[in-house]
Amino acid sequence: MNHLKQIAARLPEYGLDAMLLNSEPGEYYAVGFHGEGNVVVTAQGCFYFTDSRYIEAANHLITGAEIAMTGRSRNYRAMVQEVVDRCRIRKLGFEEGYLSVADYNLWKEGLTAELVPAQKLVDALRAAKDDGEIALMTKAQEITDRAFSEILKFIQPGMTEQEIAAKLQYDMLRLGAEKMGFGPIVVSGPNGSLPHGIPSDKKVQEGGYCSDMSRTVALGEPTGEMRKVYQTVLEAQLAGIAVTKAGVPGKSIDAAARKVIEDAGYGEYFGHGYGHSLGIEIHESPNANTRDETLLPVGAVVSAEPGIYLPGKFGVRIEDVTVLTADGCMVLTKSPKELIIL
């Protein structure tokens, strides 16, 4: 699976003769391969350059591009310059969101073409997932749901957050994941008020919460306040999902969920946005927060993750993954959302 033709088709819209992609997500989106390489997309043809570690795999896995290997006397800049000369490239787009100032200066000095910031070209394409991408994300979510089911059987009072996080990662890899999008957030009790808390050696206890896949479960009987907060978060998420569809700005989805939490008196304890786009990277754009006015496209994949975090007490977050359609959204996450008491 690659997107070379889609990138090439957008070049005239951005006034470009070619596009250079050398970030890890850019490379993967363009050619469907992680090889620490460089991709050049032109109207005349596409090119992929990598080193000796990846050249054999690249030749087997990449289609639609000429493939060549770097060497001691022929680095990436020299190889891209050859394409610049061959295809008479004057304006070369690049991913300014990923290129450091130092690397930009090296590329600028090594090429005769003008480097033009063109992150928006790729971002606009990546915002709307195609059927192949959605199929891969559906598979990833199936693995996550299965891992969540497994971890519920494993959690016991006295285990540490780190133990639970380690088992969760093991199960996800065992069930077919290639790697984690980010380190699992497994936090309990007072640590549960940390939206991106790091699993510690704290032991989970009855009465506390353990957050996983943005599911929150109770060990032992929850208090009345815990039940109220959980139900508020659930209703907020359902309100957000109800208005989620292509053609609306992310801030409208956020507002629908945020109103539920504010009306319940917990507005100040919902400090992050309702959701964000995801795909090749765990955080992409556009987003569903209080500021983003970008109209979400058909095929956007957006998280639905409102939360309430009471400092020093506990926190609750419930997260699903949604795929936007013209008249609503499809929820990929299948794990139960009712309060689970272990």
Side-chain angles (χ1 to χ4, degrees), residues 9-335:
R10 301 293 287 272
L11 293 173
E13 180 182 341
Y14 289 82
L16 300 173
D17 300 309
M19 182 74 194
L20 170 67
L21 301 109
N22 48 25
S23 71
E24 183 176 332
E27 171 197 23
Y28 187 76
Y29 184 75
V31 296
F33 180 71
H34 282 307
E36 298 183 20
N38 284 242
V39 184
V40 182
V41 180
T42 79
Q44 299 100 311
C46 302
F47 307 85
Y48 180 76
F49 307 131
T50 191
D51 61 39
S52 60
R53 296 171 299 167
Y54 302 103
I55 190 65
E56 183 177 0
N59 279 312
H60 283 298
L61 299 174
I62 295 175
T63 60
E66 292 186 27
I67 301 168
M69 186 176 75
T70 62
R72 291 183 179 178
S73 60
R74 193 166 173 247
N75 62 21
Y76 285 122
R77 292 185 298 281
M79 298 178 81
V80 172
Q81 180 59 46
E82 290 173 9
V83 176
V84 168
D85 293 335
R86 174 177 167 184
C87 298
R88 299 180 181 179
I89 297 168
R90 293 177 298 171
K91 292 184 180 294
L92 178 64
F94 74 97
E95 302 170 281
E96 74 273 16
Y98 296 92
L99 203 64
S100 70
V101 173
D103 285 338
Y104 169 79
N105 287 332
L106 287 173
W107 280 104
K108 186 177 180 180
E109 293 169 3
L111 301 177
T112 57
E114 176 188 353
L115 288 173
V116 180
Q119 185 72 55
K120 289 182 179 180
L121 185 157
V122 182
D123 284 353
L125 288 171
R126 286 175 56 185
K129 277 62 181 179
D130 59 31
D131 291 344
E133 291 174 297
I134 291 173
L136 290 174
M137 297 182 75
T138 300
K139 178 62 177 177
Q141 186 56 50
E142 289 172 355
I143 292 170
T144 305
D145 285 331
R146 291 175 63 192
F148 178 68
S149 179
E150 291 291 322
I151 207 69
L152 291 179
K153 304 171 189 175
F154 176 77
I155 298 171
Q156 297 289 336
M159 290 180 174
T160 67
E161 296 169 349
Q162 291 170 330
E163 285 180 272
I164 298 168
K167 178 64 162 63
L168 179 61
Q169 292 189 76
Y170 168 75
D171 282 339
M172 293 186 73
L173 294 170
R174 178 176 61 84
L175 292 168
E178 292 182 4
K179 61 179 180 179
M180 303 298 102
F182 57 92
I185 300 170
V186 178
V187 286
S188 62
N191 288 351
S193 67
L194 305 172
H196 276 201
I198 298 172
S200 70
D201 59 2
K202 177 187 177 301
K203 295 181 179 180
V204 298
Q205 302 169 347
E206 288 194 1
Y209 277 69
C210 179
S211 179
D212 170 39
M213 197 191 65
S214 293
R215 286 295 191 267
T216 305
V217 301
L219 281 179
E221 190 63 28
T223 65
E225 183 180 30
M226 289 175 176
R227 287 183 179 275
K228 178 184 177 182
V229 169
Y230 191 96
Q231 187 61 30
T232 300
V233 172
L234 178 56
E235 290 175 3
Q237 195 217 35
L238 294 174
I241 290 174
V243 300
T244 298
K245 65 177 182 177
V248 303
K251 65 183 298 184
S252 296
I253 301 171
D254 181 280
R258 195 168 299 276
K259 184 178 186 302
V260 174
I261 293 176
E262 290 176 345
D263 288 350
Y266 293 106
E268 65 180 297
Y269 302 111
F270 178 23
H272 57 75
Y274 168 86
H276 56 85
S277 292
L278 62 153
I280 293 175
E281 295 179 285
I282 196 64
H283 290 99
E284 297 187 352
S285 61
N287 296 295
N289 57 31
T290 58
R291 303 174 306 279
D292 204 322
E293 299 181 354
T294 306
L295 300 183
L296 295 160
V298 170
V301 180
V302 179
S303 66
E305 52 176 305
I308 295 173
Y309 313 93
L310 305 180
K313 298 176 71 174
F314 64 91
V316 173
R317 181 164 71 242
I318 303 170
E319 178 180 15
D320 287 338
V321 175
T322 62
V323 181
L324 277 64
T325 64
D327 55 1
C329 69
M330 174 176 60
V331 179
L332 296 185
T333 311
K334 305 303 179 185
S335 292

